[in-house]
Amino acid sequence: MASVRDQVSSAEWETRVNLAAAYNLVAMYGWDDLIFTHISARVPGPEAHFLINPYGMMFDEVSASSLVKVDLLGNKVMSSDYDINPAGFIIHSAVHEARSDAHCVMHLHTKEGVAVSAQAQDLLPISQQSLFPLSGLSYHAYEGVALNPEEKVRLVADLGTTDFMILRNHGLLTCAENIADAFLNMFILQRACEVQLLAQSGGAELIPISQPIVDGIKQAAKQVTRNAGGKLAWPGLLRKLERIGAPYAN
């Protein structure tokens, strides 16, 4: 039987390798939630096809070959021994369908992200890390396990044109034009949540960043972080995976 690599284009294989790397990196950083949560990526080409993790596989087991290719309805468009999580793809398909620029969508249930998502005061402007998400951050109210297709309309309306979203009582979501930048966005949002919880745990009065700085960060964020994941951080992250023998490129 032909390998998956022999059955797909070079562009799709590159996307598969990078997406599998993102799954392995999530596991390496301890952000995974057993077999739950997902990262999806659009397959290069004219078809509306997407790659997502095989349901039941741990994140540090995901490889380029094991990723499942589906359409916007979650139907498999390429033979695979694995199925996908329909609840997980509800969120991802909604964003992919509405945002042509969102080639990668990343959704996690980190403990720090869920903790901040349950706070009525939202993400606080108390760290440099928080400023980048705050330059374009949206929120979506919790509606239960994501099995209702009607929620997609409300989620997309809440997301708007932002690349960072906090799902109330649920977790974090980021999107970007490529996998590396979606991961970088998540790294920054996750770190902002970690810092907030640590600062709050100290019990001292917190010092907020002044509003003029918060208001002015949007343009600065574009200059500092745009494509930085792909150009700078991503190659180093892949080298980390290679050093620990992660299976992502198989």
Side-chain angles (χ1 to χ4, degrees):
M1 180 181 295
S3 67
V4 171
R5 184 170 188 172
D6 291 337
Q7 298 177 62
V8 302
S9 67
S10 59
E12 177 175 335
W13 182 252
E14 182 180 5
T15 300
R16 283 176 172 270
V17 169
N18 284 321
L19 183 57
Y23 276 102
N24 280 258
L25 285 166
V26 166
M28 187 183 78
Y29 278 101
W31 300 340
D32 48 341
D33 185 16
L34 296 179
I35 61 173
F36 308 104
T37 77
H38 312 276
I39 317 167
S40 60
R42 180 166 187 147
V43 176
E47 303 91 354
H49 291 166
F50 306 88
L51 298 168
I52 196 165
N53 55 315
Y55 197 33
M57 188 174 286
M58 304 295 282
F59 278 25
D60 60 355
E61 298 176 315
V62 174
S63 67
S65 297
S66 66
L67 291 163
V68 183
K69 184 157 62 170
V70 298
D71 61 19
L72 273 171
L73 298 176
N75 300 314
K76 287 190 283 188
V77 295
M78 182 176 175
S79 177
S80 173
D81 293 332
Y82 300 95
D83 292 318
I84 69 167
N85 182 350
F89 198 62
I90 285 282
I91 292 173
H92 291 256
S93 63
V95 179
H96 283 301
E97 186 173 14
R99 291 275 300 273
S100 60
D101 62 322
H103 291 177
C104 180
V105 179
M106 189 171 189
H107 167 48
L108 301 179
H109 299 160
T110 66
K111 56 184 180 293
E112 297 87 358
V114 175
V116 171
S117 80
Q119 294 187 353
Q121 56 194 344
D122 302 334
L123 184 67
L124 299 173
I126 57 171
S127 67
Q128 178 167 283
Q129 288 86 349
S130 71
L131 293 181
F132 296 102
L134 288 172
S135 70
L137 177 64
S138 55
Y139 294 85
H140 176 64
Y142 187 63
E143 298 189 26
V145 178
L147 287 171
N148 182 7
E150 294 179 1
E151 183 181 356
K152 295 168 68 172
V153 177
R154 294 182 288 275
L155 187 147
V156 165
D158 289 337
L159 179 65
T161 60
T162 68
D163 291 337
F164 300 87
M165 174 175 264
I166 292 179
L167 301 162
R168 301 280 191 192
N169 312 102
H170 188 173
L172 308 177
L173 183 147
T174 60
C175 57
E177 293 180 2
N178 58 68
I179 294 163
D181 286 340
F183 184 88
L184 179 66
N185 286 348
M186 183 59 74
F187 182 93
I188 296 170
L189 180 56
Q190 167 67 13
R191 184 56 57 87
C193 290
E194 293 171 359
V195 170
Q196 178 165 319
L197 294 175
L198 283 170
Q200 291 170 325
S201 70
E205 182 180 357
L206 302 180
I207 303 171
I209 294 172
S210 68
Q211 194 59 45
I213 293 178
V214 176
D215 293 340
I217 196 64
K218 192 164 189 177
Q219 190 58 40
K222 289 181 179 179
Q223 295 174 1
V224 172
T225 63
R226 185 170 178 80
N227 293 323
K231 290 182 178 179
L232 299 175
W234 193 247
L237 290 167
L238 296 185
R239 290 194 295 272
K240 277 191 172 185
L241 290 178
E242 290 165 4
R243 286 197 293 271
I244 64 173
Y248 74 96
N250 298 330

